[in-house]
Amino acid sequence: MASKQSILIGVLAGAFAVAAGTAGYLYGKVQATSVGAQAKAVTPVQATAAPAASVAVQQAAAPDGVRAITDIFGTAPQAGALATANSLTKPWYAQTLARGQEQLHIVFSATQELDPATRKPVDAHAQAPAISAAVYRLQGNDWQLESTAKAFAQFGAWGEAGKLDRRADVVTFPSGVLGLLLDTSESGQGYTEVGKRVWAYSNREWRDLGLVQTGGDNDGAAVDDKDRYEFKGTVSVLPGVEPFPDLRVARTGTNRDDSGKIGPAKDTAFHYNGKEYVELSGSK
């Protein structure tokens, strides 16, 4: 009898142990799953790039000479030039500048007169190409056409406008008119004269205000050193009447005066006479 009880107790104890082991295994698995879920819940998420819509839109490229000629003349150039029966127009010069808080891009074209017989540009000292312009204003990220002007000025010689050695100086007159000062140089018979061609832009129109001489020399005509002169100058706008006040030229170096004597170069001034700038008498 005692033997049977021992066997029964052993069986029950084994069953209890199996059940306890199974419960422990299941509890451990549930705990592990819970911890794993918690760990997964707090794992940092890798940052991703912002949607494409939030990326800043790039500014459009500034208009080129082909677009400018098309806008000015209403006909697209072929192979970079617009040819007619007696003229040839090509892109010449472009510059981006500020007008107050606005940004402008200006494209100039040069039109050469053609010889009817040879179909080549007329080659003469006084033959200067006609200059036209297209002005674009930056609106948002696009360049919008603001104005065009045909043949408002002439520039260059021998049928060529030439290449500018540096950017045009930009001035703002007291009236708010925008001015461009372009370098010029002309030599002949041993003398050289350099200056600034003054172009004004206002109310969507261009005006050629003439030439302001800033410097010069007689290097090719001087007999000896004591007969040689050379001077340079810089231009500034003087306060005064609108729309085009006087321009002051501060000069350095040496120059020949009205009596023929060579001495220190004197400052001078140019006055707008209603058509162009002319040097004031007695200001040399």
Side-chain angles (χ1 to χ4, degrees), residues 177-225:
V177 174
L178 189 68
L180 292 185
L181 278 58
L182 296 87
D183 288 347
T184 67
S185 178
E186 185 174 351
S187 298
Q189 299 182 345
Y191 296 87
T192 299
E193 292 186 358
V194 298
K196 300 284 188 181
R197 176 65 65 173
V198 184
W199 291 346
Y201 180 66
S202 176
N203 297 323
R204 303 191 177 190
E205 294 182 351
W206 284 95
R207 296 180 66 178
D208 183 357
L209 304 184
L211 178 65
V212 172
Q213 185 182 2
T214 57
D217 66 66
N218 67 339
D219 190 60
V223 177
D224 50 40
D225 287 344

Side-chain angles (χ1 to χ4, degrees), residues 44-259:
V45 178
Q46 184 69 30
T48 57
S54 65
V55 178
V57 179
Q58 291 186 348
Q59 179 179 311
D64 59 11
V66 172
R67 177 179 169 184
I69 290 177
T70 304
D71 287 336
I72 296 169
F73 298 96
T75 303
Q78 301 297 319
L82 178 62
T84 66
N86 57 4
S87 68
L88 183 68
T89 300
K90 297 179 181 179
W92 175 54
Y93 174 71
Q95 184 167 332
T96 302
L97 50 87
R99 181 182 60 188
Q101 299 300 315
E102 297 178 315
Q103 191 172 6
L104 302 180
H105 183 70
I106 306 169
V107 184
F108 297 102
S109 67
T111 300
Q112 300 168 296
E113 182 181 344
L114 298 181
D115 185 317
T118 63
R119 296 289 298 164
K120 293 182 178 180
V122 176
D123 186 12
H125 180 265
Q127 192 68 34
I131 305 300
S132 302
V135 179
Y136 300 90
R137 182 176 66 256
L138 186 63
Q139 292 184 323
N141 292 298
D142 294 323
W143 291 97
Q144 302 295 326
L145 179 66
E146 178 174 287
S147 69
T148 61
K150 292 182 181 179
F152 72 90
Q154 290 185 310
F155 195 91
W158 299 105
E160 298 286 344
K163 182 179 180 181
L164 296 181
D165 293 330
R166 57 188 294 273
R167 285 168 54 90
D169 296 328
V170 181
V171 298
T172 302
F173 293 101
S175 60
V177 174
L178 189 68
L180 292 185
L181 278 58
L182 296 87
D183 288 347
T184 67
S185 178
E186 185 174 351
S187 298
Q189 299 182 345
Y191 296 87
T192 299
E193 292 186 358
V194 298
K196 300 284 188 181
R197 176 65 65 173
V198 184
W199 291 346
Y201 180 66
S202 176
N203 297 323
R204 303 191 177 190
E205 294 182 351
W206 284 95
R207 296 180 66 178
D208 183 357
L209 304 184
L211 178 65
V212 172
Q213 185 182 2
T214 57
D217 66 66
N218 67 339
D219 190 60
V223 177
D224 50 40
D225 287 344
K226 64 181 181 181
D227 189 48
R228 182 174 287 105
Y229 66 82
E230 180 181 7
F231 63 96
K232 299 178 181 179
T234 56
V235 180
S236 60
V237 180
L238 294 174
V241 297
E242 298 181 359
F244 308 118
D246 292 348
L247 300 178
R248 177 177 180 269
V249 181
R251 290 172 171 170
T252 59
T254 57
N255 194 10
R256 190 189 302 276
D257 62 20
D258 293 336
S259 66

